[in-house]
Amino acid sequence: MKAVILFHNIGGYHAARIRAAQLICQKKGWQLAAIQETESAQEHPWGDLDKEITFPLHTLLASQESLSVNDRAPESTLAASRLPVCLQRIKPDMLIIPGWGYPISRAALQWAKEKNLPTVLLSESKWDDSPRSWWKEKLKSWLYTRHFKSALVGGKLHRDYLVQLGFPKKGIFLGYDIVDNDHFSCQAQQAKQFPQASRAAHPQIPKKPFFISVTRFIPRKNVLRMIEAFVRYRQMTASEASWDLVICGSGEEEPNIREKIAQHQLEDFIHLPGFKTYQDIPSWFGLANAFIHPALSEQWGLVVNEALASGLPALVSNRCGCFPELIQEGRNGFGFDPENIEALALLMLKVSQGEVDLTQMSQSAIEHIQQFSPNAFGHGFAQAVEYALTH
């Protein structure tokens, strides 16, 4: 049995998932190959991943092609138009397809229908991602989801949404949203053990204790409210005892974010070191003291996996899809309403002023995230594939 899994752009966590699935496939005598639309994506510049790619990989839009950013975007139809030729060359017996919202996914599903091949859905969608109307949901079910034989999803919220679309619950399996925990835990631990060497390699890392947030600078990530909460936090504590705030990332809201920081004269206390690669970010996590993810909307939030694997207590918006699975209230972190600035400020105060055992929370973070490892993806992948083959 030859299976093909599709993604827009293979990054660090995709590669970890595919490697885990490949091990399962080898044990069962299956073959697994991956197809990506493009080698380079503006949204996630991953850095050098050559060592991560240990599986057959086919690329529809090569990096050396002179293509526009729009041509390489998930919404583009260019890669989708090239997919049938690639699939005809591979001749798979099954397709594993991410969602149904983009041209590449719909093209893959159509090709599988024409060839009468079983398909597995990879889904992170949940009910509150965006405004829903009943007739559009019925249309999704009729056009797309009913044609998948099984599904692999992140957690309970994603499973519930598929069930609402009419997907059979017994055909939905968990384990989709994982990262390479070892990549983060090992490098973060090394940074903790050798802080001087880590700061020499990354001189922008503050020497004071600090909260860290790793995000894109776009409105739904809610960075401006997080800054307002940090302002409130500093008002509630002595300045010499307060932690700093590091916000790694870039995006369209950066001018507004810098203006907000300047407005409150916090340039010495809020640090914007820019985007950090997959290879570099574990060192930042390793020297941080706690993690914040304030998103107004998030299908899952893989950066929370990364922070927990790095041993960071996590303050996480309760609107993130990962929240029910990843955050154990008071053990490895806390949840908050992302629109409640006072609530986040109080949690910052609680974590930074000795009201919780940070060492114990760090240990709990590492222990709990082991349930969401590449092995979990491999197990869920095998269950979804076997269900699709037998139904």
Side-chain angles (χ1 to χ4, degrees), residues 310-329:
S310 302
L312 284 176
L315 310 181
V316 176
S317 160
N318 58 19
R319 295 188 198 169
C320 293
C322 70
F323 178 74
E325 271 76 26
L326 295 191
I327 300 303
Q328 297 175 302
E329 196 75 20

Side-chain angles (χ1 to χ4, degrees), residues 10 21 33 74 104 115 117 139 163 203 235 245 295 302 321 352 357 387:
I10 302 292
I104 191 74
K115 303 295 182 182
L117 301 184
L139 192 61
V163 170
Q235 292 170 348
L245 173 62
L302 287 167
S352 67
D357 186 337
Y387 186 94

Side-chain angles (χ1 to χ4, degrees), residues 54-356:
T54 61
F55 44 84
L57 175 61
H58 306 265
T59 301
L60 300 174
L61 307 175
S63 58
Q64 61 266 31
E65 289 189 79
S66 181
L67 298 172
S68 70
V69 171
N70 289 337
D71 285 333
R72 295 187 185 277
E75 297 82 8
S76 170
T77 59
L78 179 57
S81 69
R82 297 183 182 183
L83 180 65
V85 173
C86 183
L87 289 173
Q88 193 61 43
R89 188 168 64 247
I90 299 171
K91 292 183 169 55
D93 303 299
M94 168 178 289
L95 296 185
I96 298 95
I97 303 171
W100 56 80
Y102 291 111
I104 191 74
S105 301
R106 295 192 288 269
L109 186 59
Q110 180 61 37
W111 193 86
K113 285 166 61 180
E114 292 171 359
K115 303 295 182 182
N116 197 28
L117 301 184
T119 52
V120 175
L121 169 66
L122 302 174
S123 179
E124 296 178 302
S125 295
K126 52 188 178 68
W127 183 261
D128 63 354
D129 289 336
S130 59
R132 308 283 188 188
S133 58
W134 69 268
W135 65 269
K136 286 184 179 179
E137 299 307 295
K138 286 290 185 185
L139 192 61
K140 286 177 187 176
S141 178
W142 177 255
L143 291 176
Y144 307 123
T145 58
R146 73 187 184 96
H147 297 292
F148 289 97
K149 301 302 181 186
S150 65
L152 180 62
V153 304
K156 180 181 182 297
L157 296 176
H158 314 89
R159 181 180 61 198
D160 290 348
Y161 177 55
L162 283 185
V163 170
Q164 286 178 291
L165 290 180
F167 210 99
K169 187 174 182 180
K170 62 183 179 180
I172 305 172
F173 303 91
L174 305 181
Y176 180 40
D177 285 303
I178 64 91
V179 302
D180 185 350
N181 291 342
D182 290 345
H183 171 78
F184 293 93
S185 61
C186 293
Q187 292 191 43
Q189 187 58 37
Q190 187 173 20
K192 288 182 173 73
Q193 289 179 339
F194 306 102
Q196 290 184 334
S198 295
R199 284 194 168 89
H202 307 281
Q204 291 176 294
I205 298 179
K207 293 182 179 178
K208 283 182 62 180
F210 63 94
F211 300 98
I212 189 169
S213 182
V214 180
T215 188
R216 284 185 290 150
F217 293 173
I218 57 177
R220 72 174 177 86
K221 297 295 186 175
N222 204 30
V223 176
L224 293 175
R225 277 198 186 90
M226 178 174 62
I227 292 172
E228 290 289 353
F230 183 73
V231 171
R232 182 72 185 102
Y233 157 72
R234 283 182 56 84
Q235 292 170 348
M236 293 188 290
T237 185
S239 58
E240 64 275 7
S242 63
W243 293 1
D244 283 5
L245 173 62
V246 169
I247 314 173
C248 298
S250 60
E252 65 190 54
E253 273 211 317
E254 185 165 342
N256 296 336
I257 290 168
R258 291 190 178 278
E259 182 181 351
K260 176 75 72 174
I261 293 169
Q263 174 188 336
H264 293 285
Q265 300 180 331
L266 290 172
E267 294 92 334
D268 292 336
F269 308 102
I270 298 180
H271 311 269
L272 302 179
F275 171 82
K276 297 300 168 186
T277 67
Y278 181 74
Q279 290 79 13
D280 289 342
I281 199 62
S283 296
W284 288 77
F285 281 146
L287 294 179
N289 298 82
F291 170 78
I292 305 174
H293 194 55
L296 292 169
S297 173
E298 195 81 88
Q299 288 187 317
W300 179 267
L302 287 167
V303 69
V304 181
N305 298 58
E306 297 172 359
L308 294 175
S310 302
L312 284 176
L315 310 181
V316 176
S317 160
N318 58 19
R319 295 188 198 169
C320 293
C322 70
F323 178 74
E325 271 76 26
L326 295 191
I327 300 303
Q328 297 175 302
E329 196 75 20
R331 292 195 65 217
N332 66 357
F334 299 93
F336 61 92
D337 177 346
E339 295 186 75
N340 189 331
I341 290 169
E342 188 75 12
L344 177 53
L346 288 170
L347 285 176
M348 290 181 182
L349 189 67
K350 185 184 187 77
V351 168
S352 67
Q353 300 301 306
E355 293 185 40
V356 297

